[in-house]
């Protein structure tokens, strides 16, 4: 008898009807002889509706209360799924993150899981019940307040539970049927991958792929939990994220896929005096505002002893980063802060590039041939990323996908949905 | 410095705008120098919407999950009120019933409060915070599952907290500005009462008055908590429920008010063999189905040794009581089960009737004069209730109110709303 953890995202739960379909799948999994634990996100638009209500009563809502508010969404969906399961002949109990033993740090809105002690979940399973656990939430170890886990929190809940329970499988359900070599809505011959090693999935997630959230993949890798990405609309086997690139024989290592990201913007601080400390202060200022930076480019100092410093960041943080830097202008003595939000990032990921030195060259040639200019380039051992004009993103993705022959014979099946 | 507990009902919280108004009142109470604890029901239609969703996935939802589902409503409203308070310059923390230490029996959907240990609430008050507590819910002492408290549960939460905290005042806010001598929508010259003793409020609540729920008044009486019934739309002082009829000098004891109730139906079991045990079996059958009975009438046995047994019950239980009784027909040998849901109950309440023997006579005369026929009559020390045709209820209320000169000079102010 296997123990299976399944996670269903908001779009899989967006109506009473979808909830009943999800319950059917859960009950079928139980009747096949498995112990089943299910993690549900809030229904469809619930989280956005709650955020909207919050904003109407307070434009800057206190974080503790935001967590109390938002966690109602998962409570609702998990209770409804438990009810639907009961109507279909199995028994189920739903639990909040706190009741399921998900213990976290105290950072409201972005808490990290410290420990999972799923005693009540195990008890439910032992009594033959299906256990529903509210995703995206836990309880703070220090304050005992309810916390939420940040973006992708329900995926992380599922993986963390799978690890704590020693589950045989962790299945993440959404409206896409697996991880593809590129976004099928851009590249018609994108191919579904059967498996992807953890390190490549981490790079894909960090490079814009919305299939799985970075934190959940990190957690899965740390605890050795295999993740199956599947569609809640079909019975296809999906993609399994498992294993390390170190286990792949050199000659079999591949180029795996192309990711793209339109969520970043570019900031250039021009005419920065080229003395020790100026660059450090610029980056420290942005870091102190709790803003993460991605790609960085610093021009070689030109003849007048000044340099330009360029970096990318999430568009959401753009305005506040600009204003933090503007405040330093007189002090550091740079010329201007330029903001450009018409950029896009395209990345090629694959363990194979470690042993194939020509990959970077082929990558750049493919882009040049497609008329795409590279503004910043950034690499890791298994990834090449470039910053380009956002209107060129689709062409770039297609050109790279083609150049590395990633396409399959069958036309990719595209489901309506955001890729989550 | 006083400790004030305030409770706001769903209609006082039905939109972001109403929530901000409620927050203004709460902050004003705090700024006047009080410690403030607030209990909020779910927003307007939330509970009904959740019930509807539940019914769509399971026509007979498991009770444990129904409690997990419905309690999301209070979580949402309390978090939003806390946010609104924060936007207006005070600080607030919201707590679930469980977090606030409301410990209950295990009966899902109708749990009773066993104990209230409001440690986290007291902590919040000590740190200068306003404490919000989700009404209508608690945690089961035995199973540690979340429970809901049944009808009027938020009123009961407020009174129980007031008792546990030794509060100076417990204010129940709704869309009516107090307890009236009769429903102002029926009787234009109904007068608002300044105070009402506990026993009379209990009778009014049991006789159909929807201002306060029976259980909360019982709790208040047991722990000596004075309740102020006020409108959230005005600053009027409202009605205070406090004191015992035993404290009222005989000559000052009054007739207090008229209540009416359209929620009951009448069942008559005809031709019941007049032998020992038949009536007992009929009542036992209904009781075993967990159906409460109100008024009872048994005809004197007529010449053929058969009798009719009549009783009233909540309309909601009508159909199942009928079917339970139909099943006994052959066994007991009665003739038929008749069901009549066009009845209404009208009651006169007042400690004064203990010392005024003519009250029952005046009551019946007033009804006769208004052309209203009495089908069943039932009295307690301080209440007279009659069952009549439902189309006569309004006339009966007016006739009795007039006969006992309960009207005031000012026309009653009637707010849109259900009287909750």
């Amino acid at each position: 008898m296997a123990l299976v953890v399944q996670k269903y995202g908001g779009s899989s739960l967006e109506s009473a009807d979808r909830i009943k379909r999800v319950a059917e799948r859960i009950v079928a999994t139980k009747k096949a002889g498995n112990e089943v634990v299910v993690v549900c996100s809030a229904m469809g638009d619930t989280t956005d509706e709650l955020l909207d209500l919050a904003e109407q009563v307070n434009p800057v809502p206190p974080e503790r209360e935001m967590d109390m508010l938002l966690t109602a969404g998962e409570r609702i969906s998990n209770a409804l799924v438990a009810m639907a399961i009961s109507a279909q002949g199995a028994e189920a109990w739903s639990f909040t993150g706190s009741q399921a033993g998900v213990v976290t740090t105290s950072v409201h809105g972005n808490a990290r899981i410290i420990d999972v002690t799923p005693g009540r979940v195990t008890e439910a399973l032992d009594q033959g019940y299906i256990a529903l656990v509210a995703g995206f939430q836990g309880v703070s170890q220090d304050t005992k307040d309810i916390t939420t886990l940040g973006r992708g929190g329900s995926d992380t809940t599922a993986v963390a539970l799978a690890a704590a329970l020693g589950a045989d499988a962790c299945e993440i359900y959404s409206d896409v049927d697996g991880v593809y070599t590129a976004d099928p809505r851009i590249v018609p011959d994108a191919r579904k991958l059967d498996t992807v090693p953890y390190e490549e999935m981490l790079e894909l997630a960090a490079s814009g792929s919305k299939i799985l959230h970075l934190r959940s993949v990190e957690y899965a890798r740390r605890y050795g939990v295999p993740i199956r990405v599947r569609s809640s609309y079909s019975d296809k086997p999906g993609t399994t994220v498992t294993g390390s690139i170190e286990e792949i024989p050199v000659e079999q290592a591949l180029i795996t896929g192309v990711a793209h990201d339109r969520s970043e913007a570019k900031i250039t601080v021009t005419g920065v005096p080229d003395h020790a400390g100026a660059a450090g202060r610029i980056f420290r200022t942005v870091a102190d505002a709790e803003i993460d930076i991605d790609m960085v480019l610093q021009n070689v100092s030109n003849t007048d002893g000044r340099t330009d410093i360029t970096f990318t960041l999430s568009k959401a943080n753009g305005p506040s980063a600009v204003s933090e830097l503007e405040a330093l202008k007189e002090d550091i003595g740079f010329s201007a802060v330029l903001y450009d939000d018409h950029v896009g990032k395209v990345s090629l990921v694959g363990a194979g590039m470690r042993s194939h030195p020509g990959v970077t060259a082929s990558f750049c040639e493919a882009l040049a041939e497609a008329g795409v200019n590279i503004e910043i380039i950034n690499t890791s051992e298994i990834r090449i990323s470039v910053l380009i004009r956002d209107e060129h993103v689709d062409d770039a993705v297609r050109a790279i996908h083609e150049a590395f022959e990633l396409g399959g014979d069958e036309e990719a099946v595209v489901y309506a949905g955001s890729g989550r």
Side-chain angles (χ1 to χ4, degrees), chain A residues 370-391:
Chain A
V372 179
N373 183 49
I374 297 173
E375 300 181 25
I376 305 178
I377 187 166
N378 172 297
T379 64
S380 79
E381 215 189 16
I382 59 170
R383 172 188 52 78
I384 304 168
S385 297
V386 288
L387 197 75
I388 60 179
R389 287 293 98 196
D390 64 1
E391 62 258 29

Side-chain angles (χ1 to χ4, degrees), chain A residues 182-241:
Chain A
D183 188 333
R185 289 166 301 176
I186 297 178
V187 181
D189 68 333
R191 196 171 32 88
K192 184 187 76 68
L193 300 162
D194 290 332
T195 67
V196 181
Y198 290 118
E199 295 92 340
E200 289 185 4
M201 194 64 231
L202 282 168
E203 293 285 9
L204 288 168
S207 307
S209 168
K210 295 184 179 55
I211 304 279
L212 283 173
H213 287 268
L214 191 64
R215 199 180 295 183
S216 64
V217 183
E218 282 176 344
Y219 208 107
R221 178 173 75 150
R222 196 182 336 148
Y223 291 93
V225 178
I227 302 177
R228 280 178 76 192
V229 177
R230 302 184 64 188
S231 164
S232 58
Y233 292 85
S234 83
D235 280 323
K236 296 185 184 183
T239 300
T240 303
V241 177

Side-chain angles (χ1 to χ4, degrees), chain A residues 278-288 291 293 295-298 309-311 325 328:
Chain A
R281 285 195 63 197
I282 286 170
F283 291 125
R284 173 60 55 201
T285 299
V286 174
D288 284 347
I291 292 172
I293 291 180
M295 311 174 87
V296 176
L297 176 69
Q298 182 167 345
I309 294 176
T310 298
F311 58 90
L325 290 168
L328 294 177

Side-chain angles (χ1 to χ4, degrees), chain A residues 95-312:
Chain A
F95 299 98
T96 60
S98 170
Q99 290 174 322
V102 179
V103 179
T104 75
T105 60
S106 311
V107 182
H108 287 292
N110 203 18
R112 287 185 178 270
I113 296 177
I114 293 175
D115 195 10
V116 178
T117 51
R120 291 179 77 171
V121 171
T122 309
E123 227 177 86
L125 294 176
D126 288 345
Q127 295 191 46
Y129 282 71
I130 293 165
L132 279 302
V133 178
F136 185 55
Q137 56 179 253
V139 63
S140 156
Q141 190 174 58
D142 297 335
T143 64
K144 302 291 182 280
D145 283 333
I146 301 304
T147 54
T148 58
L149 305 178
R151 296 203 138 273
S154 291
D155 290 351
T156 309
T157 299
V159 173
L161 268 171
L165 293 166
D168 298 276
C170 181
E171 303 179 331
I172 304 287
Y173 287 89
S174 66
D175 52 9
V176 289
D177 64 359
V179 182
Y180 278 73
T181 51
D183 188 333
R185 289 166 301 176
I186 297 178
V187 181
D189 68 333
R191 196 171 32 88
K192 184 187 76 68
L193 300 162
D194 290 332
T195 67
V196 181
Y198 290 118
E199 295 92 340
E200 289 185 4
M201 194 64 231
L202 282 168
E203 293 285 9
L204 288 168
S207 307
S209 168
K210 295 184 179 55
I211 304 279
L212 283 173
H213 287 268
L214 191 64
R215 199 180 295 183
S216 64
V217 183
E218 282 176 344
Y219 208 107
R221 178 173 75 150
R222 196 182 336 148
Y223 291 93
V225 178
I227 302 177
R228 280 178 76 192
V229 177
R230 302 184 64 188
S231 164
S232 58
Y233 292 85
S234 83
D235 280 323
K236 296 185 184 183
T239 300
T240 303
V241 177
T242 188
S244 168
I245 53 176
E246 304 305 335
E247 298 158 7
I248 304 172
V250 168
E251 61 276 9
Q252 285 177 33
L254 299 168
I255 298 303
T256 294
V258 184
H260 70 279
D261 191 342
R262 294 181 201 272
S263 73
E264 297 197 350
K266 183 175 78 165
I267 287 179
T268 302
V269 184
T270 63
V272 181
D274 190 22
H275 60 70
R281 285 195 63 197
I282 286 170
F283 291 125
R284 173 60 55 201
T285 299
V286 174
D288 284 347
E290 301 203 352
I291 292 172
D292 292 323
I293 291 180
D294 184 16
M295 311 174 87
V296 176
L297 176 69
Q298 182 167 345
N299 288 348
V300 170
S301 174
N302 50 27
T303 49
D304 67 353
R306 289 179 172 267
T307 184
D308 292 348
I309 294 176
T310 298
F311 58 90
T312 66

